[in-house]
Amino acid sequence: MLGVADQHESPRPEPGPNLPEKSRTAEVVDAEVVDSEVVETDAPARPQQSADDAEFRQYQQFLEFQKFREWQQSQGGDVAVPPPAVPPAAKPQDPKKAWWKRALGLLRYKLVRRLIYWVLALLLALWLISYLINQVTSFFGGSSGNGDGTSNGGVPVDSVPVKSENPQQAVRGVYNWLRGPNPERTCDLFSDDGKSGFFQAHGASDCATAARQLHSQITDPNAYANPKFDHNAVTEIGSEAQVLGCRVRVNGGPRLGTFKLTKQPDGGWTISAYALQADDCDR
């Protein structure tokens, strides 16, 4: 079998001075035309697909959509913007408590409660002391009087018999003047009919004599000048009034009877009648 020389084989050099004189027998090389095989290089690696083809396709579509959005933004196109997230509703604040609720909240502290107890106890003690002093002064009299029978602190202001503005003030003036150094001044509070009833009720010849007799029976001038009127002692109807002696508490001297008073044109009250006991006292 004849060998076919390779057409692409380069010609061999001729023997020259640089070559050895030894001749060589040309060797025939068997050659065959070999079909060249095209070796394909591997394609660029693609993303590793997941086991689920459907998920992989969705991923590819998502990438394409992202590229489309980037291209659309670069071209100035409108891009659908997702609606803004709705902020969570603000937590409603607690309304401000009223001042009295805040004040009551202080009561949970023991120190505050003790302080309140002490204040209440002190106020109660002061009130009790004042009440006892008034009772003692009312029943036993004070010691602030001077030689002429006037008092520096035991006589009420409304007992001065100048012009009686109400029936109670007129009767209080009678007690005040009877305990003083000039008891006959008591008759200035009576009308003529009132003076007659006053001295006749006490068995005297005139009003001045009856006043001096009552003055001599007074043992405590200060207590006598402060009679206590019950709530139903005074009855006032129009321009007339009545003060029941049985409903007036008197200390330090004799209790007087019942007074009938009449209001005068100038606004003052005058004793127009007097009796030791009224029928109303028996009721």
Side-chain angles (χ1 to χ4, degrees):
M1 182 175 179
L2 298 177
V4 180
D6 189 357
Q7 297 176 358
H8 298 284
E9 183 178 359
S10 60
R12 295 182 180 179
E14 294 295 334
N18 296 328
L19 295 176
E21 295 293 336
K22 182 180 180 180
S23 61
R24 296 183 179 181
T25 302
E27 295 180 1
V28 179
V29 178
D30 293 337
E32 294 180 0
V33 179
V34 181
D35 296 335
S36 62
E37 296 179 1
V38 179
V39 181
E40 296 180 357
T41 60
D42 295 337
R46 293 187 301 178
Q48 186 178 358
Q49 297 182 356
S50 62
D52 191 352
D53 294 340
E55 291 183 0
F56 179 74
R57 285 194 297 270
Q58 291 179 359
Y59 176 72
Q60 292 285 23
Q61 293 175 0
F62 173 75
L63 293 178
E64 293 177 358
F65 177 72
Q66 287 290 99
K67 292 180 179 180
F68 172 75
R69 288 189 59 186
E70 293 176 358
W71 174 83
Q72 193 175 24
Q73 290 178 357
S74 66
Q75 298 299 323
D78 295 335
V79 180
V81 180
V86 179
K91 184 179 180 180
Q93 297 181 356
D94 296 336
K96 188 176 182 180
K97 292 185 179 180
W99 65 267
W100 59 271
K101 289 185 178 180
R102 296 196 302 270
L104 290 178
L106 297 176
L107 295 178
R108 65 177 182 269
Y109 299 106
K110 182 183 292 186
L111 180 61
V112 175
R113 294 197 301 269
R114 287 185 177 180
L115 182 61
I116 293 175
Y117 296 155
W118 278 106
V119 172
L120 292 178
L122 180 62
L123 293 177
L124 181 61
L126 292 176
W127 176 85
L128 184 60
I129 293 174
S130 177
Y131 176 79
L132 293 176
I133 291 176
N134 290 335
Q135 292 298 318
V136 171
T137 303
S138 174
F139 286 98
F140 299 101
S143 58
S144 58
N146 51 29
D148 58 358
T150 59
S151 174
N152 294 329
V155 182
V157 177
D158 63 350
S159 64
V160 180
V162 176
K163 178 182 177 181
S164 303
E165 298 180 357
N166 54 68
Q168 183 174 335
Q169 186 183 37
V171 175
R172 192 188 298 275
V174 173
Y175 284 92
N176 182 48
W177 282 110
L178 286 176
R179 63 91 188 234
N182 300 312
E184 58 275 3
R185 292 285 302 275
T186 305
C187 300
D188 295 338
L189 300 174
F190 291 82
S191 64
D192 292 340
D193 292 340
K195 292 177 183 178
S196 177
F198 181 71
F199 69 77
Q200 289 179 7
H202 291 284
S205 57
D206 53 31
C207 181
T209 303
R212 284 191 290 268
Q213 290 177 356
L214 292 172
H215 173 77
S216 63
Q217 301 175 28
I218 296 174
T219 58
D220 191 337
N222 291 328
Y224 194 71
N226 291 277
K228 307 297 181 183
F229 294 81
D230 292 342
H231 68 280
N232 57 353
V234 181
T235 304
E236 183 177 345
I237 302 176
S239 60
E240 293 186 351
Q242 178 179 263
V243 179
L244 298 176
C246 58
R247 294 175 183 173
V248 179
R249 290 173 292 165
V250 181
N251 293 291
R255 174 186 290 178
L256 302 180
T258 298
F259 299 84
K260 181 181 178 181
L261 301 98
T262 304
K263 191 172 185 179
Q264 303 302 308
D266 61 354
W269 290 83
T270 300
I271 301 173
S272 56
Y274 177 85
L276 285 180
Q277 185 175 359
D279 297 337
D280 294 339
C281 290
D282 296 334
R283 299 175 187 176

